Amino acid sequence: MPVSCSSLLLEPAFVEEVSRKQISPSTKSAQPETEEDADLFLYKTQTNHYLILMHHVQLCDSIYVQTLTQEDMENLKITDEEQEFSRLYVVQLNELTKQK
């Protein structure tokens, strides 16, 4: 018999019956409905410049660095604004590391 977190340790806890239908996500965005939705999601995540920039930040010799070169960024058509975001992102990660 489960017990609750009340001050009365012997008080039985309410056990709620959960059906299998309730366990699955109830929102539309939880899982793509079709293969086309999954492909579109994959396309958007692989072409988002901010995600690409964050994904290419790595910890090297205890310092976070951007592994994309200037040439890589030009080929990916990453704007100056996005490059500035990347620079600030790396700076912020390194500042957080220093605080630890």
Side-chain angles (χ1 to χ4, degrees), residues 26-33:
S26 59
T27 62
K28 287 181 110 178
S29 63
Q31 293 180 348
E33 289 186 17

Side-chain angles (χ1 to χ4, degrees), residues 57-69:
V57 172
Q58 292 183 355
L59 186 63
C60 297
D61 297 329
S62 301
I63 296 176
Y64 286 97
V65 294
Q66 175 58 259
T67 60
L68 290 175
T69 64

Side-chain angles (χ1 to χ4, degrees), residues 64 88-100:
Y64 286 97
L88 293 173
Y89 179 69
V90 170
V91 167
Q92 186 66 33
L93 286 175
N94 286 320
E95 288 297 320
L96 290 171
T97 303
K98 287 179 187 176
Q99 292 176 4
K100 289 182 180 181

